[in-house]
Amino acid sequence: MGPDNGASPHEHPNQFALLRQRRFAPFFWTQFSGAANDNLFKFAFTVMVTYQLQVNWLPPAMAGLVIGALFILPFLLFSATSGQLSDKVEKTTMIRFVKNLEIVIMLIAAYGFLTGTVAVLLLCTFLMGLHSTLFGPVKFAYLPQVLGERELTGGNGMVEMGTFVAILLGNVVGGLIVAIPETGHRDVAIACVLAAVIGRAVSQFIPRAPATDPGLVINWNPFTETWRNLKLAHDNIVVFRSLLGISWMWFFGAVFLSQFPALAKGVLHGDEHVASLLLVVFSIGIGIGSLMCEMLSRRHVEIGLVPLGAIGMSVFSIDLYFSSRGLPPSDLLTLAGFVARPAHWRVMADLLLLSLFAGLYSVPMYALIQLRSQPTHRARIIAANNILNALFMIASSLIAGALLTAGFTIPEIFLVTGVANAVVSFYIFLVVPEYLLRFVAWALSRFVYRYKVVGDEHIPLQGAAVLACNHVSYVDAVLLMAASPRPIRFLMDHRIFRVPVLGWLFKLAKAIPVAPRSEDPAAYEAAFEAAAQVLREGDLLGIFPEGGITRDGALQPFKGGIVKLLERAQADGLAVPVIPMALTNLWGSFFSRIEQVNGERVAMVRPFRRGLFSRVGLNVGPPLMPDQVQPDALRARIEGLLAS
């Protein structure tokens, strides 16, 4: 999947350069202004009913809960309809309609602020939730239409970072303005309308993004459509379980965000400014983690970062329990008094790091959903995700409330959440092994080797292809996984499955074991039929045409199996390209058969025989069409890549 506007995947050096490009910058600032305005309005309203107005039917203790519930309600009611509209209507038209709606809502809110009419402001809270419900699917469906696969992680990282900065900015500005004596309510009204107008003006510069399913007939029943969207998402099991993974992240984050005021006052003995500091630290962590994703993923959609993020989320939420549970009682601390105590720095470090790892966890999942969802109903998949997010956040509030009622302390809730995150993550990686496999490939290619890939733009982002590579070591398949933005099914020598740990990993990756025809003709034919099915399903098939790992470091003669595979694919009506690949500098590493024991060449005898971070590489050549592929010609092509 490439960007619809034909942008080169190497068009910009990093994600920040997107802010200089029209296809991204106006969209980024439009969504930034909307998120900031949402939170400016909500926080100013919350402060107003908590501290400044006496409303008998809305006690201060309930204000935050009621406002939060009213804001989330539209996500449950209207996400399904919003997803349909975003698939049916041209994206920029949809965005501008939402921004026009925001101006109208903020004009009504201005009246509510000026007159102190709480009922009007509660109505506007619901309407701003509707505004966000309409904007969510079009926001995430727009990105893959204008960004290439290499830009998608960086673009999502920028949006995620921008959203949390906007939330932080909106809360801070809303709290400061509403507290201004005499003019606070008027100034909030002006600020809300101004932010909405600025967002609408910037949206005028967003380029057109065509509708992906203009013939869609809208189903206005939110209940049947919600169920249909969930079933639509469930058709792609990796996407559906990724939706659940993102919703779990919102459950996890909601536990911490909802407890910041109580944590600051009851556990850390700080005033309201300390609660704001915790929010600042949490937002900075999310922003840093989101921006780190592009650097750590080499500008691919790297879901190997998800297990890393999950591990960090559990480790630092559990440590937050230990760092906050034994703090001595004290008088209410000001911000200066709070930061002057060394014990509090560990608490802030835990918050920063758990939110940083949450950023590493969520951004690749969003990018994967965008990449793997069918373009025609991508917005409806995002809408299904918004519904699940809302349900998980409501469940988070109910469970946290139940734990508090049962006598759990806030640090104990953090401990329970951290342990639950470990259990849930383990389950996700068990049922979607691709996450774990990518994590192993990501770790191997960064912490065992210094891995450089050249020509990976030749690996197709969609459609069937055969990846043909020389066979140097037991980890060749893992290194190819690390270079590919898509999963690869491998046709591999059946003996490699007997290798401890690696054999288990290859079984997890659904690699296809193949035995020589002379040894087991039935298994040989079954393996080729399974490989043909991979190509029929439009997936990537990895093969090692030498038929086994080299014993002397030299490129061995190629077997004829690849020709048989291509002929079978042609019989199925498929012209499958072959991508030649060459792994370099792996011979002599721990996983290659460099050692000699009892006259037999073996691998994995001397750990760290070349030390850590030894240089290895992968050179990828342009695709060959089936009629260009013969064993000797393919071998010559890969030999040329080895020498390049």
Coordinates of all heavy atoms in Angstrom, one line a residue, residues 373-423:
S373 N -6.0 -3.2 7.2 CA -7.5 -3.2 7.0 C -7.7 -2.9 5.5 O -7.0 -2.2 4.8 CB -8.1 -2.0 7.8 OG -7.9 -2.2 9.1
Q374 N -8.8 -3.4 5.0 CA -9.2 -3.2 3.6 C -9.5 -1.7 3.4 O -10.3 -1.1 4.2 CB -10.5 -4.0 3.2 CG -10.2 -5.5 3.0 CD -9.4 -5.7 1.8 OE1 -9.4 -5.0 0.8 NE2 -8.6 -6.8 1.8
P375 N -9.0 -1.0 2.4 CA -9.2 0.5 2.3 C -10.7 0.8 2.2 O -11.1 1.9 2.7 CB -8.5 0.8 1.0 CG -7.4 -0.2 0.9 CD -8.0 -1.5 1.4
T376 N -11.5 -0.1 1.6 CA -12.9 0.3 1.4 C -13.7 0.4 2.8 O -14.7 1.1 2.8 CB -13.6 -0.8 0.6 OG1 -13.3 -2.1 1.1 CG2 -13.1 -0.7 -0.9
H377 N -13.2 -0.3 3.8 CA -13.9 -0.2 5.1 C -13.0 0.1 6.2 O -13.3 -0.3 7.4 CB -14.8 -1.4 5.3 CG -14.1 -2.7 5.2 ND1 -14.2 -3.6 4.2 CD2 -13.3 -3.4 6.1 CE1 -13.5 -4.7 4.3 NE2 -12.9 -4.6 5.5
R378 N -11.9 0.8 5.9 CA -10.9 1.1 7.0 C -11.5 2.0 8.1 O -11.3 1.8 9.3 CB -9.7 1.8 6.3 CG -8.6 2.0 7.3 CD -7.4 2.8 6.6 NE -6.8 2.0 5.6 CZ -6.6 2.4 4.4 NH1 -7.0 3.6 3.9 NH2 -5.9 1.7 3.5
A379 N -12.3 3.0 7.7 CA -12.9 3.9 8.7 C -13.9 3.2 9.6 O -14.0 3.5 10.8 CB -13.6 5.1 8.0
R380 N -14.6 2.2 9.0 CA -15.5 1.4 9.9 C -14.8 0.5 10.9 O -15.2 0.3 12.0 CB -16.4 0.6 9.0 CG -17.6 1.3 8.4 CD -18.3 0.6 7.3 NE -17.6 0.7 6.1 CZ -17.9 0.0 5.0 NH1 -18.9 -0.9 5.0 NH2 -17.2 0.1 3.9
I381 N -13.6 0.1 10.5 CA -12.7 -0.7 11.4 C -12.3 0.2 12.6 O -12.3 -0.1 13.7 CB -11.5 -1.3 10.7 CG1 -12.0 -2.3 9.6 CG2 -10.6 -2.0 11.7 CD1 -12.7 -3.5 10.1
I382 N -11.9 1.5 12.2 CA -11.5 2.4 13.2 C -12.7 2.8 14.1 O -12.5 2.9 15.4 CB -10.9 3.7 12.6 CG1 -9.7 3.4 11.7 CG2 -10.6 4.7 13.6 CD1 -8.5 2.8 12.5
A383 N -13.9 2.9 13.5 CA -15.1 3.1 14.3 C -15.3 2.0 15.3 O -15.7 2.3 16.5 CB -16.3 3.3 13.4
A384 N -15.1 0.8 14.9 CA -15.3 -0.4 15.8 C -14.3 -0.3 16.9 O -14.6 -0.6 18.1 CB -15.1 -1.7 15.0
N385 N -13.1 0.2 16.6 CA -12.0 0.4 17.6 C -12.5 1.4 18.6 O -12.3 1.3 19.8 CB -10.7 0.8 17.0 CG -9.6 0.9 18.0 OD1 -9.4 0.0 18.8 ND2 -8.8 1.9 17.9
N386 N -13.1 2.5 18.2 CA -13.5 3.6 19.1 C -14.6 3.1 20.0 O -14.6 3.4 21.2 CB -14.0 4.8 18.3 CG -12.9 5.6 17.6 OD1 -11.8 5.4 18.0 ND2 -13.3 6.3 16.6
I387 N -15.5 2.2 19.5 CA -16.5 1.6 20.4 C -15.9 0.8 21.4 O -16.2 0.8 22.6 CB -17.5 0.8 19.5 CG1 -18.3 1.7 18.5 CG2 -18.5 0.0 20.4 CD1 -19.0 0.9 17.4
L388 N -14.9 -0.1 21.0 CA -14.3 -1.0 22.0 C -13.5 -0.1 23.0 O -13.5 -0.4 24.2 CB -13.3 -1.9 21.3 CG -14.0 -3.0 20.4 CD1 -13.0 -3.8 19.6 CD2 -14.7 -4.0 21.4
N389 N -12.8 0.9 22.5 CA -12.1 1.8 23.5 C -13.0 2.4 24.5 O -12.7 2.4 25.7 CB -11.4 3.0 22.7 CG -10.3 2.5 21.8 OD1 -9.8 1.4 21.9 ND2 -9.8 3.5 21.0
A390 N -14.2 2.9 24.1 CA -15.1 3.5 25.1 C -15.6 2.4 26.1 O -15.6 2.7 27.3 CB -16.3 4.0 24.3
L391 N -15.9 1.2 25.6 CA -16.3 0.1 26.5 C -15.2 -0.2 27.5 O -15.5 -0.4 28.7 CB -16.7 -1.1 25.7 CG -18.0 -1.0 24.9 CD1 -18.2 -2.2 24.0 CD2 -19.2 -0.8 25.8
F392 N -14.0 -0.3 27.0 CA -12.9 -0.7 27.9 C -12.6 0.4 28.9 O -12.3 0.2 30.1 CB -11.6 -1.0 27.1 CG -11.5 -2.4 26.6 CD1 -12.4 -2.9 25.7 CD2 -10.5 -3.2 27.0 CE1 -12.3 -4.2 25.3 CE2 -10.3 -4.5 26.6 CZ -11.3 -5.0 25.8
M393 N -12.8 1.7 28.5 CA -12.6 2.8 29.5 C -13.7 2.8 30.5 O -13.4 3.1 31.7 CB -12.5 4.1 28.7 CG -11.2 4.3 27.9 SD -11.3 5.7 26.8 CE -11.2 7.1 27.9
I394 N -14.9 2.5 30.1 CA -16.0 2.5 31.1 C -15.7 1.3 32.1 O -15.9 1.4 33.3 CB -17.3 2.3 30.4 CG1 -17.7 3.6 29.6 CG2 -18.4 1.9 31.4 CD1 -18.9 3.4 28.6
A395 N -15.3 0.2 31.5 CA -15.0 -1.0 32.4 C -13.8 -0.6 33.3 O -13.8 -1.1 34.5 CB -14.6 -2.2 31.5
S396 N -12.9 0.1 32.8 CA -11.8 0.5 33.7 C -12.2 1.3 34.9 O -11.8 1.1 36.0 CB -10.8 1.4 32.9 OG -9.8 2.0 33.7
S397 N -13.2 2.3 34.6 CA -13.7 3.1 35.7 C -14.5 2.2 36.7 O -14.3 2.4 38.0 CB -14.6 4.2 35.2 OG -13.9 5.0 34.3
L398 N -15.3 1.3 36.2 CA -16.1 0.5 37.1 C -15.2 -0.4 38.0 O -15.4 -0.6 39.2 CB -17.1 -0.4 36.3 CG -18.2 0.4 35.5 CD1 -19.0 -0.5 34.7 CD2 -19.1 1.1 36.5
I399 N -14.2 -1.0 37.3 CA -13.3 -2.0 38.0 C -12.5 -1.2 39.1 O -12.3 -1.7 40.2 CB -12.4 -2.8 37.1 CG1 -13.3 -3.7 36.2 CG2 -11.3 -3.5 37.8 CD1 -12.6 -4.4 35.1
A400 N -11.9 0.0 38.7 CA -11.1 0.7 39.6 C -12.0 1.2 40.8 O -11.6 1.1 42.0 CB -10.5 2.0 38.9
G401 N -13.3 1.6 40.5 CA -14.2 1.9 41.6 C -14.5 0.8 42.5 O -14.5 0.9 43.7
A402 N -14.7 -0.4 41.9 CA -14.9 -1.6 42.7 C -13.8 -2.0 43.6 O -13.9 -2.4 44.8 CB -15.3 -2.8 41.8
L403 N -12.5 -1.8 43.1 CA -11.3 -2.1 43.9 C -11.2 -1.1 45.0 O -10.9 -1.5 46.2 CB -10.1 -2.1 43.0 CG -10.0 -3.2 42.0 CD1 -8.8 -3.0 41.0 CD2 -9.8 -4.6 42.7
L404 N -11.5 0.1 44.8 CA -11.4 1.1 45.8 C -12.4 0.8 46.9 O -12.2 0.9 48.1 CB -11.6 2.5 45.3 CG -10.4 3.1 44.5 CD1 -10.9 4.4 43.8 CD2 -9.3 3.4 45.4
T405 N -13.7 0.5 46.5 CA -14.7 0.1 47.4 C -14.3 -1.1 48.3 O -14.7 -1.2 49.5 CB -16.0 -0.1 46.7 OG1 -16.4 1.0 45.9 CG2 -17.2 -0.4 47.6
A406 N -13.6 -2.0 47.6 CA -13.2 -3.3 48.3 C -12.0 -3.0 49.3 O -11.6 -4.0 50.0 CB -12.8 -4.3 47.3
G407 N -11.5 -1.8 49.3 CA -10.5 -1.5 50.3 C -9.1 -1.4 49.7 O -8.1 -1.3 50.5
F408 N -8.9 -1.5 48.4 CA -7.6 -1.5 47.8 C -7.1 0.0 47.8 O -7.9 0.9 47.7 CB -7.7 -1.9 46.3 CG -7.7 -3.4 46.1 CD1 -8.8 -4.1 46.5 CD2 -6.6 -4.0 45.5 CE1 -8.8 -5.5 46.3 CE2 -6.6 -5.4 45.3 CZ -7.7 -6.1 45.7
T409 N -5.8 0.2 48.1 CA -5.2 1.5 48.0 C -4.9 1.8 46.6 O -4.9 0.9 45.7 CB -3.9 1.5 48.8 OG1 -3.0 0.7 48.2 CG2 -4.2 1.2 50.3
I410 N -4.6 3.1 46.3 CA -4.3 3.4 44.9 C -3.0 2.7 44.4 O -2.9 2.2 43.3 CB -4.2 5.0 44.8 CG1 -5.6 5.6 44.9 CG2 -3.6 5.4 43.4 CD1 -5.6 7.0 45.0
P411 N -1.9 2.7 45.2 CA -0.7 1.9 44.8 C -1.1 0.4 44.5 O -0.5 -0.2 43.6 CB 0.2 2.0 46.0 CG -0.1 3.3 46.6 CD -1.6 3.4 46.5
E412 N -2.0 -0.2 45.3 CA -2.4 -1.6 45.0 C -3.1 -1.7 43.7 O -3.0 -2.7 43.0 CB -3.2 -2.1 46.2 CG -2.4 -2.4 47.5 CD -3.2 -2.6 48.7 OE1 -4.4 -2.4 48.7 OE2 -2.6 -3.1 49.7
I413 N -3.9 -0.7 43.4 CA -4.6 -0.7 42.1 C -3.6 -0.7 40.9 O -3.7 -1.4 39.9 CB -5.6 0.5 42.0 CG1 -6.8 0.2 42.9 CG2 -6.1 0.7 40.5 CD1 -7.8 1.4 43.0
F414 N -2.5 0.1 41.1 CA -1.5 0.2 40.1 C -0.8 -1.2 40.0 O -0.5 -1.7 38.9 CB -0.4 1.2 40.4 CG -1.0 2.6 40.4 CD1 -0.3 3.7 41.0 CD2 -2.1 2.9 39.7 CE1 -0.8 5.0 41.0 CE2 -2.6 4.2 39.6 CZ -1.9 5.3 40.3
L415 N -0.6 -1.9 41.1 CA 0.1 -3.2 41.1 C -0.8 -4.2 40.4 O -0.4 -5.0 39.5 CB 0.3 -3.7 42.5 CG 0.8 -5.1 42.7 CD1 2.2 -5.2 42.1 CD2 0.8 -5.5 44.2
V416 N -2.1 -4.2 40.7 CA -3.1 -5.1 40.0 C -3.1 -4.8 38.5 O -3.1 -5.8 37.7 CB -4.5 -4.9 40.6 CG1 -5.5 -5.7 39.8 CG2 -4.5 -5.5 42.0
T417 N -3.1 -3.6 38.1 CA -3.1 -3.2 36.7 C -1.9 -3.7 36.0 O -1.9 -4.2 34.9 CB -3.3 -1.7 36.5 OG1 -4.4 -1.2 37.3 CG2 -3.4 -1.3 35.1
G418 N -0.7 -3.5 36.6 CA 0.6 -4.0 36.0 C 0.6 -5.5 35.8 O 1.0 -6.0 34.8
V419 N 0.1 -6.2 36.8 CA 0.1 -7.7 36.7 C -0.9 -8.1 35.6 O -0.7 -9.0 34.8 CB -0.2 -8.3 38.1 CG1 -0.5 -9.8 37.9 CG2 0.9 -8.1 39.1
A420 N -2.1 -7.4 35.6 CA -3.1 -7.8 34.6 C -2.6 -7.5 33.2 O -2.9 -8.2 32.3 CB -4.4 -6.9 34.9
N421 N -1.8 -6.4 33.1 CA -1.3 -6.1 31.8 C -0.3 -7.2 31.3 O -0.3 -7.5 30.1 CB -0.5 -4.7 31.9 CG 0.1 -4.3 30.5 OD1 -0.6 -4.0 29.6 ND2 1.4 -4.4 30.4
A422 N 0.5 -7.7 32.2 CA 1.4 -8.8 31.8 C 0.6 -10.0 31.4 O 0.9 -10.7 30.3 CB 2.3 -9.2 33.0
V423 N -0.5 -10.4 32.1 CA -1.3 -11.5 31.7 C -2.0 -11.3 30.4 O -2.0 -12.2 29.5 CB -2.4 -11.8 32.8 CG1 -3.4 -12.9 32.4 CG2 -1.7 -12.2 34.1

